[in-house]
Amino acid sequence: MNNLIMSAETSLQLINILEKTISPDKNELEAAQTYLEQAALTNFPEFCKGLSEILGHGGNSAVVRMAAGLQFKNSLTSKDPNIAIQYQHRWLALPEQTRAYIKQNILGALGTENNRPSTAAQCVAYVAVAELPVKQWPELIECLASNVVNTSSTEMTKEATLETIGYICQEIQDQEVLQLQANQILTAIIHGMRSNEPSNHVRLAATNALQNSLEFTRANFETDTERNFIMEVVCEATQSTDTAVKVSALQCLVKIMSLYYQHMESYMGQALFPITLDAMKSETDEVALQGIEFWSNVSDEEMDLSIEATEASEAGRVPSRCSRFYAKGALQFLVPVLQQKLTKQEENDDEDDWNPSKAAGVCLMLLATCCEDDIIPHVLPFVKDNIKSPNWRCRDAALMAFGSILGGLEPTTLKPLVDQAMPTLIELMYDQSVQVRDTCAWTFGRICEIVPEAAINEQYLKSLLEALVNGLKAEPRVANNVCWAFTGLAEAAYEAAENAMNAGKDDDGAQPETYCLSQYFEFIVQRLLETTDRPDGAQANLRSSAYEALMELVKNSPRDCYVAVQKTTMVILERLQHVLQMESHIQSHSDRAQYNDLQSLLCGTLQSVLRKVSTEDAPKISDTIMTALLQMFNSNSCKAGGVQEDALMAVSTLVEILGEGFLKYMEAFKPFLHLGLKNRAEYQVCGAAVGLTGDIARALRARILPYCDEIMMLLLENLGDNTVHRSVKPQILSVFGDIALSIGHDFGKYLTVVLQTLAQASQVDVDRSDFDMLDYLNELREGILEAYTGIIQGLKDEDGNNEAGKTCLLALESHLPSIIHFVSTCSQDPDHSDSIIHNCAGLVGDLCLTYGAKVLPLVDAEAVNEMLTEGRRSRVTKTKNIANWATREVRKLRNHATSCVDQMVRSSRARPPDRHVHFVGVTFKSKLRSARGAHAQFCAALTSRAEDPHVLSDTNRRIYRRFRGFVGKGRRLSSLC
Amino acid sequence: MLSVERSNEPTQRQALYKTKGTFRSQEEKRKHFLEEQKRKRNVNFDAGRNFEEIPEQRHEDAHLSGNLSKKKFGKMLMQSEWMEEVPGDLMEKWYLVPCPVGKRCIVISETKICRGFSLSGKFLFQTKALLKEGKVGRTVLDCIYNRETSTIFILDVILWAGYSMVNCETEFRFYWLKSKFEETPELLERPNAYKFHPLPHALATDTETALESLDFTEKLDGVLFYHKEAHYTAGVTPLVVWLLPFMIAEVLGISVNEEMAQQPESYPGHLEYIAEYKKKQKEKRRRGRKSVEMDTSGSGHDESSIFEESGEPVQEEDELELG
């Protein structure tokens, strides 16, 4: 065993170094760290052994032991999950003997430290995290359990051991690893939690460990006796005089409620309700917060259950779990306590603080969503009694209660309630207390969002607008909420006008002539523009909120506000030019950040005004806009990804309104488009550039051709580059489709490489348990389908005289079976999205249009038919329409084939039979192979022809000619299959 | 250092405090922008598709009993123009179909039942399904319904057992109808009062013979001429033309029997009659429109004659219903 132990000399040296890891001298500190890193690299086993010895040796100083433990722990885990796995493998690769020695040291160190939390506990836990999943260290849990239960264990041993258990439960992701030993773990934890445990430290460590073990002790919770026992211990712990234990026990209750809602019935009335109500009333904030959280959590849970119940009843099944409506039953007791807490606002509120008053507001909101109208009788009296109170806390609490419950109420109850409150609310916008004005502005924001029809009520509109415009000049936080209210107001007013306009007609999407804000529009815009210029605009996010409100107002503006929109456009343009000149004045880092934000906001606002600009006006201002944007691309601010992205998006909007007119800027803009496409580090910028490329391709059509070589090269490079974020890649494929459609047969030169790329991308599959990756797979497949669609539509030769196009079509022909195979793969994937079906159906229809009868044997297949059926049954109208169209295109081909055979049989009787019968035979056979359901018709056609009295020579000739062409195509196609 | 405080509820709940719902994050804006690009791309793709031909799926509607809204079924049928001049290729390229008096209607036969609707979507009759063998697709026929004799005269076929005939030429459609009814005589043996009667067609060269030997006893309403190569299209088409019995002799220069030759009083001649008729019809329509607006079933039209809409260009192109 001797060779296992480090030489005393080495050990001393290590101790020296460890002491320096907390040195105030920066050089010493760095030197120590370098040494330790080196030591870990050169001789990892010795290094670990040394550290474990130092940690285990009680004679060493607490600092050194802690540092040793920390170094050891850091060699076992990392925040980066990939590195953590590497470290675990490095540990497991050590000789068993070495590991056993180290484990003995660290396990022995449990309880020998005087500091909290224990370092040894972390060391043991991370070795366990590496070893337990691979079925090593089987005796550990038993050893830990006995540490806790053993009457001779010291307080420190019990505490450190329970901490270890807590860490292990928290860190081991695979719950099956611990399930087998759940009983031992739970026994130890419950032992430490008992009310007769004298040490609060032990109780706390045990209670924290319980929180971490709740997921994998499901089996224990399913058994009545065990559950009763656990619940009893937890409830007892909530009565501890020690706040930390009490809070941790309450946190356990919150979690148990989520995990085991269905088992809580027998504890609710007797224990959980009185315990949590009592906690809510507590003067200790942490305790009160947990009490409130319990009921917020119950509301969440019961909302989920009610959704489940609705879904189940729609699907005609019995829900697997039912709500017991605890929240509804407890309302009358909970609401008064919450309202009491609402009045305990901080005098000087800090946005980041979390206190019972704020938690009570949120809890009321959740209770209202859960219990709906039932909450009204409990809240309204409080609102009425306090809203005019001389005490600002009461007025604010009343407003908060009112604003919070709005979201849960039925529209029929809500509207009269808000109507009635309107005059008082408007008055409160002028309150002397900033808190009250803030809450009032927020309440207006809620009203505009939830009951917009009450907000635009003619009776109060003018005074409401006055109050809001006045609020724009108030403190930044108040003004910020007012901006939000304007956002909702604009949307509500516009929607109302749209609805009124569409009531008589059925065309949607047209712009209404006017709306209720028209006469105030310019004034509001003016005030919002002033707000964006406020010197304190950086506070409470006010500047960006004001710009956001401006954008919404412009977006939702009717025709008669166009002049004001035009004016706003000019203001934004001026500001853009002005801001570009300001760049040289930037001094500090925060100046730069504000300056960049401003540019982003101006680009965003520019987009919203541009969308409203008429097609006649667009060319008049486009030069100025493009000049400003080019200047921006040229400046330093576009080195910040955010600004570059927003500027690219602004160009997209310009492209949209100019269409082909964008061509004249192409030469000047090209370098910046390329820069964007090359910005692989900031994938959002790259993505915006790719999207913009597609927009340009669609707008310029064939005129994008001179720019294609470079663009295609950049796009293909990005596709092949692993450093390019994956989210950009599906977009690139879609843009191939845009370009192909625009340049038609000129895409031929890229065809080979693009088809190859698409074929490769079609092979991609992902980890099905990862939802993000599933989304990605669907996006990628949509991209591929869009690329094929663009290529095929682009090559469809309308005049039929283009040789280059024909060559491309021919080249594509050999890919058709694999394209259809891909369509089948996508549509049969159980995880496919509706858009996949939309794109598949579109592609199938396009193939029919482009290739005609040739593709019939390919598209008239089981999988394609199923895909089309699914599309026709889609809830999405667009998908339904396109699937109907595609079905019809396929059917046309099928019917055409049928009638050809049909008529051919007839003509065969008019002419020398042998040749014609031959033709009929060929087609009939090839059709039989593919056309489902058409068989009967063919048979009927063939047999019924025998008695046909109509023999018309010129028709026959025509049919004969057409038929000959058909058979020829059929032969070529059959060689493809 | 590890933390035991892993319940993240404060931050989660904190986000809900005075939450502002509609302010969109940069990420949401980005998503919106991408969706918008996707939409524009689809519009671009759709422009290359002969989308105007998309039939809306109206299964649900057709399963409803009672009337169908005019918007849905009214203009589905193919409608004739007046034969103002004789087509140059009448003798080579046209069929004629003598029509008995009755109401033009669309007949929809499904798995169990078969129902007839007027041009304005009004429910006319219901009887047993036309095709009985197992589960076949829907059949849609273009017919004339004579209420007095409860006979449904079949003019044309739009959909047969789920197979669209819309893109087939007249020659084929007529042949199909004729052979189907010859193959399965049971189709005509109806258990109840409603009788089906496929109207025979003849070559335009045989007009005289065809008119001498009508195979129905009802009064002749007029004669339809179908171009052999015409596909079945919704609305008015110049490939189907219409003559009233008393115009036949005058326009085609053939002799007809006395009953058919019976002209109305003060008959001004073929073209003048048509012009007069159109004028009257226009006025009637203008007046009728007001009452139609009140009448949701759309029965504001006078439907005494089956082809009176002739010559009036159809305002809205309506699509064909395909099962």
Side-chain angles (χ1 to χ4, degrees):
Chain A
M1 280 297 274
N2 262 350
N3 65 335
L4 273 173
I5 301 164
M6 235 184 180
S7 73
E9 198 188 330
T10 335
S11 183
L12 263 180
Q13 199 184 354
L14 192 51
I15 289 174
N16 269 330
I17 296 296
L18 288 169
E19 267 168 355
K20 299 212 167 86
T21 56
I22 53 153
S23 166
D25 182 338
K26 214 177 148 193
N27 293 331
E28 272 194 342
L29 189 78
E30 275 172 15
Q33 271 164 352
T34 320
Y35 178 90
L36 290 168
E37 277 163 25
Q38 275 304 312
L41 283 176
T42 45
N43 195 344
F44 184 62
E46 285 306 309
F47 179 62
C48 291
K49 270 155 61 181
L51 292 175
S52 73
E53 282 165 16
I54 296 166
L55 173 67
H57 197 283
N60 290 325
S61 76
V63 168
V64 168
R65 293 181 73 188
M66 224 162 85
L70 213 60
Q71 287 300 326
F72 179 67
K73 185 210 95 178
N74 288 343
S75 70
L76 280 168
T77 189
S78 161
K79 278 190 180 132
D80 181 333
N82 293 324
I83 297 178
I85 290 170
Q86 279 174 28
Y87 282 181
Q88 286 170 6
H89 287 159
R90 181 173 65 172
W91 167 259
L92 291 170
L94 292 180
E96 201 177 333
Q97 220 181 1
T98 313
R99 281 189 284 134
Y101 174 74
I102 296 169
K103 287 191 279 190
Q104 188 194 333
N105 281 341
I106 55 177
L107 206 53
L110 283 180
T112 64
E113 297 162 287
N114 293 316
N115 50 296
R116 292 194 166 91
S118 157
T119 320
Q122 296 187 34
C123 294
V124 175
Y126 281 105
V127 173
V129 169
E131 296 207 346
L132 294 184
V134 291
K135 308 235 180 322
Q136 306 233 6
W137 215 0
E139 69 280 11
L140 173 69
I141 298 293
E142 204 178 331
C143 174
L144 294 175
S146 81
N147 263 0
V148 179
V149 198
N150 197 331
T151 42
S152 61
S153 291
T154 63
E155 181 194 4
M156 286 310 273
T157 306
K158 286 192 196 171
E159 186 187 354
T161 306
L162 284 164
E163 276 172 11
T164 311
I165 294 175
Y167 296 142
I168 293 175
C169 296
Q170 178 188 318
E171 289 298 308
I172 291 192
Q173 303 290 326
D174 185 359
Q175 289 170 8
E176 277 175 28
V177 174
L178 297 174
Q179 253 155 16
L180 285 175
Q181 287 167 305
N183 283 335
Q184 276 174 307
I185 295 171
L186 202 56
T187 309
I189 292 173
I190 296 297
H191 186 86
M193 275 180 80
R194 286 168 314 144
S195 53
N196 54 358
E197 168 58 53
S199 162
N200 280 331
H201 290 298
V202 174
R203 278 189 98 183
L204 179 60
T207 314
N208 286 340
L210 182 72
Q211 273 196 59
N212 292 336
S213 67
L214 289 169
E215 275 101 351
F216 66 85
T217 46
R218 181 164 291 275
N220 306 82
F221 270 89
E222 305 285 340
T223 320
D224 288 351
T225 48
E226 293 188 37
R227 185 179 63 240
N228 287 341
F229 188 56
I230 301 169
M231 290 305 288
E232 190 187 322
V233 175
V234 178
C235 290
E236 270 172 16
T238 64
Q239 303 306 302
S240 166
T241 49
D242 184 274
T243 304
V245 174
K246 198 179 174 82
V247 169
S248 182
L250 285 166
Q251 283 173 332
C252 285
L253 285 187
V254 172
K255 204 165 166 188
I256 290 171
M257 196 65 192
S258 298
L259 289 168
Y260 305 110
Y261 180 93
Q262 297 302 323
H263 292 306
M264 289 300 113
E265 199 162 8
S266 50
Y267 315 109
M268 198 52 170
Q270 289 299 307
L272 302 183
F273 172 68
I275 289 172
T276 52
L277 191 69
D278 197 48
M280 280 168 79
K281 290 177 188 162
S282 168
E283 290 301 316
T284 314
D285 280 2
E286 300 106 288
V287 175
L289 281 173
Q290 289 310 319
I292 297 169
E293 176 57 27
F294 181 87
W295 287 99
S296 291
N297 192 45
V298 169
S299 306
D300 271 348
E301 195 64 30
E302 292 186 347
M303 274 184 272
D304 286 349
L305 289 170
S306 110
I307 293 167
E308 255 176 62
T310 320
E311 279 172 359
S313 87
E314 271 173 12
R317 37 184 181 84
V318 181
S320 55
R321 313 179 304 149
C322 298
S323 176
R324 312 265 178 217
F325 305 103
Y326 298 129
K328 211 170 261 186
L331 271 182
Q332 52 171 317
F333 307 102
L334 300 175
V335 174
V337 182
L338 291 171
Q339 284 165 347
Q340 197 51 40
K341 287 287 171 196
L342 279 181
T343 62
K344 308 287 181 212
Q345 307 93 327
E346 295 288 330
E347 186 80 47
N348 296 307
D349 178 55
D350 184 329
E351 221 184 303
D352 298 328
D353 284 347
W354 184 239
N355 56 41
S357 168
K358 289 181 175 179
V362 171
C363 188
L364 264 183
M365 192 159 94
L366 295 170
L367 281 172
T369 321
C370 178
C371 308
E372 302 177 347
D373 282 0
D374 288 347
I375 204 167
I376 299 176
H378 306 294
V379 174
L380 271 198
F382 175 79
V383 175
K384 282 188 181 135
D385 292 348
N386 290 283
I387 202 140
K388 299 209 164 158
S389 158
N391 180 348
W392 73 264
R393 289 181 197 278
C394 296
R395 294 198 301 278
D396 184 62
L399 266 173
M400 195 62 207
F402 184 75
S404 295
I405 63 164
L406 293 176
L409 310 187
E410 292 292 326
T412 42
T413 351
L414 196 52
K415 173 89 173 20
L417 206 62
V418 174
D419 280 342
Q420 198 191 338
M422 229 31 188
T424 318
L425 292 176
I426 291 170
E427 221 172 276
L428 286 168
M429 271 305 286
Y430 301 92
D431 199 277
Q432 60 193 25
S433 152
V434 57
Q435 280 93 335
V436 172
R437 275 181 280 130
D438 185 55
T439 310
C440 188
W442 172 76
T443 305
F444 275 122
R446 295 267 292 169
I447 291 172
C448 291
E449 188 168 273
I450 297 163
V451 243
E453 61 276 20
I456 54 172
N457 182 345
E458 221 177 309
Q459 199 182 346
Y460 305 116
L461 186 62
K462 192 159 183 283
S463 47
L464 170 64
L465 288 173
E466 275 167 9
L468 291 179
V469 166
N470 186 56
L472 282 178
K473 292 186 216 122
E475 295 77 359
R477 55 189 270 207
V478 180
N480 177 25
N481 273 320
V482 171
C483 290
W484 178 49
F486 271 123
T487 308
L489 202 61
E491 220 173 310
Y494 193 74
E495 215 164 273
E498 270 184 326
N499 291 342
M501 181 180 69
N502 293 334
K505 308 174 210 157
D506 42 18
D507 65 331
D508 315 332
Q511 194 183 10
E513 194 52 48
T514 183
Y515 72 162
C516 63
L517 296 181
S518 282
Q519 52 174 316
Y520 314 106
F521 185 83
E522 197 169 351
F523 182 71
I524 300 171
V525 165
Q526 208 50 48
R527 297 291 91 79
L528 284 172
L529 281 168
E530 281 166 19
T531 310
T532 61
D533 260 350
R534 276 174 60 156
D536 56 356
Q539 287 174 44
N541 210 25
L542 176 57
R543 181 166 299 125
S544 82
S545 296
Y547 271 116
E548 292 281 350
L550 192 62
M551 289 181 218
E552 280 303 308
L553 213 63
V554 169
K555 182 179 145 202
N556 295 302
S557 64
R559 283 175 202 278
D560 67 350
C561 296
Y562 185 58
V563 176
V565 172
Q566 277 177 317
K567 282 186 199 165
T568 317
T569 313
M570 296 329 283
V571 174
I572 297 299
L573 260 180
E574 273 164 36
R575 287 189 176 191
L576 206 57
Q577 286 162 333
H578 178 71
V579 88
L580 288 166
Q581 289 154 15
M582 266 164 43
E583 181 156 39
S584 53
H585 302 296
I586 294 174
Q587 281 167 346
S588 68
H589 191 69
S590 82
D591 275 1
R592 168 55 79 183
Q594 278 205 39
Y595 177 77
N596 286 348
D597 282 350
L598 184 59
Q599 288 199 338
S600 283
L601 286 167
L602 285 171
C603 284
T605 318
L606 190 63
Q607 289 173 50
S608 73
V609 288
L610 281 180
R611 288 214 179 85
K612 282 288 175 180
V613 166
S614 68
T615 33
E616 301 86 68
D617 288 346
K620 291 179 205 156
I621 51 169
S622 63
D623 281 358
T624 328
I625 293 169
M626 205 54 206
T627 313
L629 287 172
L630 286 172
Q631 205 182 331
M632 199 187 254
F633 280 115
N634 245 330
S635 76
N636 278 327
S637 42
C638 261
K639 297 213 170 76
V643 180
Q644 201 185 352
E645 186 190 355
D646 283 308
L648 288 170
M649 281 157 100
V651 176
S652 273
T653 315
L654 195 64
V655 170
E656 189 187 337
I657 59 165
L658 289 178
E660 259 191 41
F662 187 76
L663 186 64
K664 62 173 171 171
Y665 306 121
M666 208 41 207
E667 209 48 55
F669 177 60
K670 191 176 82 171
F672 303 110
L673 181 65
H674 291 176
L675 272 182
L677 290 174
K678 284 180 199 155
N679 193 344
R680 285 162 202 162
E682 288 164 300
Y683 69 90
Q684 285 101 341
V685 176
C686 191
V690 171
L692 171 56
T693 308
D695 292 334
I696 294 175
R698 291 193 303 274
L700 298 190
R701 304 229 146 239
R703 296 183 168 188
I704 196 183
L705 188 59
Y707 305 95
C708 280
D709 283 352
E710 282 170 293
I711 289 174
M712 284 300 291
M713 199 184 72
L714 287 170
L715 291 177
L716 284 163
E717 267 173 24
N718 278 350
L719 267 186
D721 189 333
N722 283 333
T723 62
V724 172
H725 192 269
R726 61 162 205 251
S727 68
V728 181
K729 301 197 174 179
Q731 276 199 68
I732 294 180
L733 301 178
S734 307
V735 170
F736 285 160
D738 293 329
I739 294 176
L741 179 51
S742 285
I743 64 175
H745 61 80
D746 285 314
F747 197 76
K749 54 181 163 176
Y750 318 118
L751 198 59
T752 314
V753 57
V754 168
L755 287 176
Q756 210 174 4
T757 312
L758 294 176
Q760 268 171 19
S762 306
Q763 303 298 320
V764 170
D765 205 352
V766 300
D767 172 10
R768 298 287 164 148
S769 61
D770 184 338
F771 288 117
D772 285 343
M773 286 312 286
L774 269 183
D775 283 349
Y776 173 67
L777 182 66
N778 276 321
E779 278 166 31
L780 188 72
R781 288 178 168 176
E782 274 178 53
I784 297 167
L785 292 165
E786 284 174 345
Y788 282 135
T789 303
I791 293 170
I792 285 160
Q793 279 202 12
L795 292 178
K796 188 179 70 181
D797 196 17
E798 303 286 355
D799 50 23
N801 289 327
N802 190 301
E803 280 310 313
K806 278 182 195 159
T807 318
C808 291
L809 278 177
L810 217 58
L812 197 57
E813 256 184 45
S814 61
H815 290 264
L816 296 184
S818 64
I819 294 177
I820 291 296
H821 178 72
F822 179 63
V823 165
S824 315
T825 312
C826 292
S827 59
Q828 285 173 335
D829 191 319
D831 298 310
H832 69 246
S833 62
D834 184 83
S835 316
I836 289 280
I837 297 296
H838 177 269
N839 284 324
C840 281
L843 181 57
V844 166
D846 291 333
L847 282 170
C848 292
L849 271 188
T850 307
Y851 282 96
K854 277 184 204 180
V855 287
L856 184 60
L858 283 171
V859 297
D860 200 5
E862 187 81 25
V864 176
N865 278 325
E866 275 169 17
M867 179 274 292
L868 291 173
T869 309
E870 187 185 337
R872 289 195 303 271
R873 290 178 188 155
S874 168
R875 286 184 178 195
V876 183
T877 321
K878 249 180 22 188
T879 308
K880 208 167 155 152
N881 284 345
I882 206 152
N884 278 327
W885 166 75
T887 309
R888 206 178 129 127
E889 290 305 317
V890 175
R891 206 175 279 162
K892 265 190 200 167
L893 295 182
R894 201 189 289 143
N895 286 337
H896 180 71
T898 317
S899 56
C900 278
V901 172
D902 210 59
Q903 288 168 334
M904 191 56 214
V905 178
R906 186 181 338 153
S907 66
S908 71
R909 281 167 56 264
R911 306 225 144 215
D914 46 342
R915 282 183 66 193
H916 303 278
V917 166
H918 169 71
F919 279 119
V920 172
V922 170
T923 325
F924 186 56
K925 234 159 50 190
S926 84
K927 297 313 304 156
L928 258 183
R929 242 180 306 162
S930 63
R932 281 187 333 132
H935 300 172
Q937 281 207 22
F938 280 110
C939 296
L942 284 168
T943 48
S944 61
R945 281 301 153 269
E947 288 92 30
D948 193 346
H950 294 284
V951 178
L952 301 152
S953 57
D954 66 324
T955 315
N956 263 346
R957 261 194 300 277
R958 192 168 41 75
I959 293 169
Y960 178 67
R961 273 200 303 275
R962 191 204 284 171
F963 192 47
R964 199 165 45 183
F966 177 75
V967 172
K969 282 176 189 166
R971 278 212 188 110
R972 216 182 310 149
L973 195 69
S974 61
S975 66
L976 295 175
C977 303
Chain B
M1 187 113 338
L2 274 163
S3 103
V4 269
E5 171 70 55
R6 89 201 38 79
S7 43
N8 54 353
E9 77 271 3
T11 46
Q12 232 181 55
R13 300 276 182 237
Q14 223 164 331
L16 287 176
Y17 178 70
K18 288 195 179 172
T19 169
K20 299 178 193 35
T22 45
F23 273 169
R24 286 183 296 158
S25 68
Q26 183 74 12
E27 192 54 45
E28 283 166 66
K29 274 184 208 162
R30 209 171 273 142
K31 217 176 128 204
H32 179 76
F33 208 81
L34 280 176
E35 277 164 12
E36 192 53 23
Q37 272 168 339
K38 202 154 253 305
R39 190 192 60 77
K40 283 185 263 173
R41 178 171 294 127
N42 272 325
V43 169
N44 202 33
F45 283 156
D46 287 349
R49 293 165 176 158
N50 47 348
F51 237 55
E52 64 284 0
E53 289 179 31
I54 296 178
E56 288 270 336
Q57 282 282 308
R58 284 168 189 153
H59 274 240
E60 313 81 16
D61 306 310
H63 282 296
L64 298 170
S65 55
N67 299 336
L68 290 166
S69 94
K70 180 174 159 59
K71 198 164 177 334
K72 307 221 168 185
F73 272 87
K75 300 278 165 62
M76 238 176 78
L77 296 179
M78 183 149 78
Q79 290 178 32
S80 62
E81 287 184 356
W82 285 100
M83 190 195 280
E84 294 183 37
E85 52 186 74
V86 181
D89 54 358
L90 182 75
M91 290 304 149
E92 301 91 54
K93 292 275 173 87
W94 296 73
Y95 285 131
L96 90 154
V97 180
C99 302
V101 288
K103 200 187 269 284
R104 181 79 177 276
C105 70
I106 183 162
V107 171
I108 300 169
S109 173
E110 275 157 312
T111 328
K112 288 205 173 118
I113 49 165
C114 169
R115 276 169 308 183
F117 300 93
S118 77
L119 269 177
S120 57
K122 210 162 81 179
F123 174 76
L124 295 177
F125 59 84
Q126 176 173 327
T127 172
K128 275 205 171 173
L130 197 59
L131 303 173
K132 277 168 280 185
E133 56 265 54
K135 270 193 183 172
V136 291
R138 186 197 272 189
T139 296
V140 179
L141 300 171
D142 179 351
C143 302
I144 297 166
Y145 170 56
N146 187 300
R147 196 193 300 269
E148 282 78 50
T149 58
S150 299
T151 309
I152 302 144
F153 294 96
I154 304 170
L155 269 176
D156 210 333
V157 54
I158 300 169
L159 196 69
W160 186 272
Y163 292 100
S164 169
M165 297 283 160
V166 169
N167 290 301
C168 298
E169 295 173 3
T170 305
E171 190 180 7
F172 180 66
R173 293 196 312 275
F174 282 4
Y175 172 76
W176 184 263
L177 263 181
K178 183 172 149 57
S179 54
K180 279 294 162 193
F181 277 88
E182 281 169 4
E183 273 164 29
T184 19
E186 308 92 84
L187 289 177
L188 299 174
E189 289 159 14
R190 305 296 296 175
N192 58 16
Y194 295 102
K195 294 185 292 285
F196 278 96
H197 185 148
L199 285 171
H201 58 280
L203 293 167
T205 40
D206 301 335
T207 308
E208 241 163 310
T209 341
L211 291 177
E212 269 163 27
S213 53
L214 294 176
D215 80 333
F216 47 81
T217 50
E218 286 79 358
K219 190 171 176 279
L220 181 75
D221 193 28
V223 180
L224 277 178
F225 295 84
Y226 283 82
H227 193 281
K228 281 179 188 172
E229 290 167 24
H231 287 201
Y232 196 97
T233 51
V236 175
T237 167
L239 297 180
V240 181
V241 290
W242 168 247
L243 280 181
L244 291 170
F246 50 83
M247 296 172 176
I248 295 169
E250 178 194 355
V251 178
L252 299 181
I254 54 173
S255 57
V256 293
N257 67 32
E258 244 173 68
E259 196 195 339
M260 289 185 203
Q262 183 65 49
Q263 292 176 343
E265 270 176 60
S266 66
Y267 174 64
H270 150 250
L271 286 175
E272 293 76 4
Y273 183 89
I274 293 172
E276 185 78 2
Y277 181 88
K278 282 186 185 170
K279 206 174 128 195
K280 263 193 232 158
Q281 203 56 31
K282 211 171 192 173
E283 232 156 72
K284 196 163 160 191
R285 201 171 285 247
R286 201 177 298 132
R287 270 181 280 116
R289 206 157 265 163
K290 280 172 199 138
S291 64
V292 170
E293 276 171 11
M294 309 298 292
D295 185 352
T296 45
S297 73
S299 55
H301 283 283
D302 178 1
E303 283 161 320
S304 58
S305 175
I306 50 167
F307 295 111
E308 65 175 3
E309 303 228 331
S310 298
E312 274 292 314
V314 175
Q315 300 295 321
E316 49 201 304
E317 184 95 1
D318 219 324
E319 296 120 352
L320 280 169
E321 161 78 352
L322 295 176

